[in-house]
Amino acid sequence: MLPRHLTNVPDTKKAIAPYNFIELPNDIVEIQADSLPSHNVYYAQSEKRYTGRIDCTLTTESPLYIRCGLTKEEFVCGAESKDLPDFFYTETASKAKKPVIPGSSLRGMLRILIEIISFSKMELVSDKKRFFFRAVAAKKDDPLGSEYKKLLKNVKAGYLVKEGDNWYIQPAKMIEKSSIIWVKEQDLAGIQTLIRMNQKTYVPQYIDVSFGDTLFKSPRRFSRQVSANQKRYRERGVLVTSGNMLESSDDPTNLRRRNHCIVPEINHNIDRISISDDAVQHYRSALTEFQKLEPFDKDFGVLKEGRPIFYCEPQSGQTEVTLFGHCPNFRIPYSPLQDGKAASAVDFIPENIGKSNRIDLAEAIFGFVRSKEKNNQSNIEKSTNNKFDSALAGRIFIENAICEKTINDDIWLTGSYEKTITPKILSNPKPTTFQHYLVQTSSEKIQLKHYANKSSKDNQVAETVIRGHKLYWHKGNNPDIEHPDGDNADGTQITKIKPIKEGVKFTFDIHFENITDIELGAILWILQKAAEPKYCLSLGMGKPLGMGAVKIEHQLLLNNRQERYSKLFSSSHQWLSGEDNQSKTDSILTDCINAFEQFIVNNIHLDDHPEGYNAVKLDDIPRIQMLLLMLRCDRPPSSNDTRYMTIEAKEYINRPVLPTPFQVMGKSGEDKRRLRNTSNANLQNSKTNISAKASQQFKVGQILDATVSNIKGVKVTYQLPDGTKKTTKEDKIAKILEAGQNIKVKVTAVKDDGSIKNVKYHE
């Protein structure tokens, strides 16, 4: 059983954030390769394989923004996408005449949700990003303090040497038994080019200096002779200044550190030392924004021929440097594995739910291409397979969503297409905030799990795993997204956007071919939730600010391929589409959703069921309940419980732990996750079957309010009060109706369960 996150974090140790996590499953639900269809034939509905489309209408519930990419001309001119505020568009000539939501964005949103609800793998995680940390002034109760001191031993200084693709360190001279000479900033008054640490223009610097003896005024008071004149004093070296480590970004005089250091000149009597290729690669992949600014190289950081460098001497039995940085107290990698390589998020994903050759439901629907690395793996990923070892084509195709209105209509948050908004700054995720991103089994600071703890790749029981899929809380239809300085805001991270306001509609189709009732049920389960008033999905940029909440109404239209190609025209002289007969579609929709739910609850790991019984409905599974809590848009958590914490207020200093979605929503008592490693094998199901939701009862002749959803020729689709859509022929009235129009309809037929079978326009 995987480690499970705390059920209830004490208020005094509770973190807040605009995001939370849907926990990992104990195992995936696997799809057997021999159940996948061939791609050269259409299957009949009698085989429970379906082809057709889902007619979707997306409505924005909060401001939405998806940035457009660079055109070829903009790219050639060196433009940056952050400087282009236009909403995504496809008509280049008219430049955003009609806003478009790209199908790739819709596909990504849908895939992530299907991965969660179908207990699929979590493999789309990069292992390129490696994690580093620094804990110079860590207190005794900080779990990283002892780890940092244990690894950062015998730090020395030298200079970088490059030969071909290889890097070396030429050690510096030892002065007073050290190659690192510390100096106080007040001793550097004679160096006119030095930018002081209390200046707002402060940047790291490398200044050639000469220096002399240490002058002791008392045991605790001393100074050193330093000059920018290379010939003034006996010794020469390079003055190195690094980050000023401000206590507050609002007060540049409030510094934690007031010393710099000098690296003496090269010692030519000592052999140079090779730097490990892995260390170089990990260092480059983990460069911070600070290490990409001047005087550092944006792609290589401190790695530059002749530059001073700080490093730990190789330990006994080692010949290469594995730890180095641009200052004496440099960042070092989390190393949870025996090979000593820096940790990444992938190391904390259990092998049985990470990258493997096993096929899950998300892959069966969307397809995949296996990498050579994945094909070479040989343990859990070996399956009964596998005619699809290398690739599988997807069977779902999502169109771009087209705005029903044009650029000149009232769709923009600012009231005009010409106006832009400067949003609050959102930086990259900080997964090194391990108390948020890793499962914690204790809120005590000294017991917190971090990336140097035993990971899931040790072939032993993992001490911790990643928290799971990261989602963002909704924040209502009018979230606070604008930068407090408005258009006067400046800085490298400032951008401009043109968001669309809430209440704007887009239409698109989801096409599918030869998908099973279970696969179709997974798609429809998500869309069914997206149509319910209390849930919203998330799309586009600015999700931490509350942007991108959307609802989706849908109508399933199945395609009978035999009817489609048996003749060209219908009896009414219309082109045959294969969608003419939808009499059984509603019952098939219900059956597919039930088949999907039954398949998942019957095949998930026993430890993913609730404590005390085995679930029979998807909504009963704690992991799915977490998802539904995070999709709530009718009653989201308070804005103060879903904001970012601040460094200035020292809210991170005690490493507070991020609670579960249950606790954030005040529903800790409903958290029925199994936290003990005991078996559910002999427990009874709480219910015996999954029943369809009770249908509202309607009567023939009943008059209802409705909205015209779509018009194609004489076929009119009505959105009814119960959320369903019905399409009927309106030979006389179709020409004068408009999409979005509110009208009355009469119920002309009902099903045995009292639900609506057909309606007609009513004057």
Side-chain angles (χ1 to χ4, degrees), residues 555-566:
Q555 181 183 16
L556 174 64
L557 297 168
L558 296 177
N559 194 306
N560 188 313
R561 307 305 285 181
Q562 185 175 359
E563 291 181 5
R564 168 70 179 84
Y565 292 109
S566 61

Side-chain angles (χ1 to χ4, degrees), residues 634-676:
D634 60 334
R635 289 180 293 173
S638 71
S639 57
N640 193 52
D641 289 335
T642 56
R643 63 173 176 82
Y644 280 110
M645 298 187 297
T646 63
I647 295 176
E648 287 79 6
K650 299 184 178 181
E651 291 179 298
Y652 285 100
I653 194 167
N654 289 317
R655 300 194 185 278
V657 175
L658 189 67
T660 66
F662 287 109
Q663 186 175 355
V664 174
M665 291 291 281
K667 296 182 179 295
S668 295
E670 299 178 17
D671 184 355
K672 303 300 182 184
R673 290 176 299 146
R674 296 195 62 245
L675 304 176
R676 296 176 291 109

Side-chain angles (χ1 to χ4, degrees), residues 399-413:
E399 296 178 352
N400 291 341
I402 308 300
C403 185
E404 293 185 348
K405 298 182 179 180
T406 65
I407 188 175
N408 297 318
D409 292 308
D410 182 21
I411 62 175
W412 305 100
L413 185 62

Side-chain angles (χ1 to χ4, degrees), residues 55 57 527-528 530-533 552-556 586 589 696 698 704-707 709 717-726 756:
D55 182 19
T57 299
L527 294 177
Q528 188 181 68
E532 291 187 31
I552 301 177
E553 297 171 340
H554 65 283
Q555 181 183 16
L556 174 64
D586 286 347
L589 181 151
Q696 184 176 348
F698 294 93
L704 304 173
D705 292 320
T707 302
S709 176
T717 301
Y718 299 113
Q719 176 78 38
L720 303 179
D722 64 351
T724 61
K725 289 183 179 180
K726 296 296 176 183
I756 297 172

Side-chain angles (χ1 to χ4, degrees), residues 311-553:
Y311 64 98
C312 288
E313 276 197 317
Q315 300 296 308
S316 176
Q318 296 179 335
T319 59
E320 295 181 315
V321 170
T322 58
L323 301 175
F324 67 91
H326 70 274
C327 65
N329 293 311
F330 52 82
R331 297 185 311 145
I332 61 176
Y334 291 96
S335 300
L337 306 180
Q338 294 179 355
D339 59 14
K341 292 183 178 180
S344 72
V346 172
D347 296 323
F348 291 84
I349 301 176
E351 290 185 356
N352 62 319
I353 57 176
K355 292 183 179 180
S356 74
N357 280 344
R358 295 201 296 169
I359 299 173
D360 55 45
L361 194 64
E363 288 182 324
I365 296 172
F366 292 93
F368 60 82
V369 176
R370 302 284 192 222
S371 66
K372 290 182 179 179
E373 176 187 356
K374 196 184 300 182
N375 280 327
N376 289 336
Q377 294 176 2
S378 60
N379 295 326
I380 294 174
E381 56 270 357
K382 286 186 175 178
S383 187
T384 56
N385 305 352
N386 225 331
K387 56 183 178 181
F388 300 111
D389 270 338
S390 300
L392 174 69
R395 288 168 287 134
I396 182 172
F397 318 95
I398 303 179
E399 296 178 352
N400 291 341
I402 308 300
C403 185
E404 293 185 348
K405 298 182 179 180
T406 65
I407 188 175
N408 297 318
D409 292 308
D410 182 21
I411 62 175
W412 305 100
L413 185 62
T414 60
S416 168
Y417 166 73
E418 302 298 332
K419 295 181 181 179
T420 62
I421 282 180
T422 302
K424 294 177 180 178
I425 294 174
L426 293 174
S427 58
N428 293 328
K430 302 294 187 294
T432 48
T433 307
F434 54 81
Q435 63 270 25
H436 290 198
Y437 283 81
L438 292 178
V439 167
Q440 303 298 337
T441 54
S442 171
S443 61
E444 295 299 323
K445 188 176 178 182
I446 192 64
Q447 296 179 21
L448 294 178
K449 306 300 181 184
H450 50 75
Y451 292 103
N453 285 115
K454 190 186 299 178
S455 77
S456 60
K457 304 296 184 183
D458 283 274
N459 297 320
Q460 301 178 42
V461 177
E463 292 183 31
T464 187
V465 294
I466 63 171
R467 288 282 299 271
H469 288 83
K470 182 181 181 183
L471 299 181
Y472 289 89
W473 295 105
H474 294 299
K475 298 189 177 183
N477 60 5
N478 188 29
D480 181 16
I481 67 174
E482 193 164 2
H483 194 285
D485 296 334
D487 290 338
N488 296 322
D490 59 6
T492 59
Q493 293 180 293
I494 295 298
T495 187
K496 303 281 187 181
I497 61 174
K498 294 180 180 179
I500 287 172
K501 69 179 184 179
E502 57 98 11
V504 179
K505 294 184 181 296
F506 291 77
T507 57
F508 66 98
D509 281 348
I510 299 174
H511 298 269
F512 53 88
E513 295 181 347
N514 286 341
I515 63 176
T516 66
D517 54 347
I518 292 169
E519 294 164 345
L520 182 56
I523 300 168
L524 293 171
W525 192 92
I526 292 294
L527 294 177
Q528 188 181 68
K529 297 300 181 187
E532 291 187 31
K534 61 183 177 181
Y535 298 124
C536 285
L537 309 186
S538 293
L539 188 66
M541 293 177 56
K543 289 188 279 290
L545 302 176
M547 295 177 64
V550 299
K551 300 197 74 62
I552 301 177
E553 297 171 340

Side-chain angles (χ1 to χ4, degrees), residues 37 41-51 514-517 558-562 588:
V41 63
Y42 280 106
Y43 294 79
Q45 292 183 10
S46 59
E47 300 178 71
K48 292 190 175 180
R49 291 197 181 274
Y50 301 97
T51 295
N514 286 341
I515 63 176
T516 66
D517 54 347
L558 296 177
N559 194 306
N560 188 313
R561 307 305 285 181
Q562 185 175 359
I588 290 174

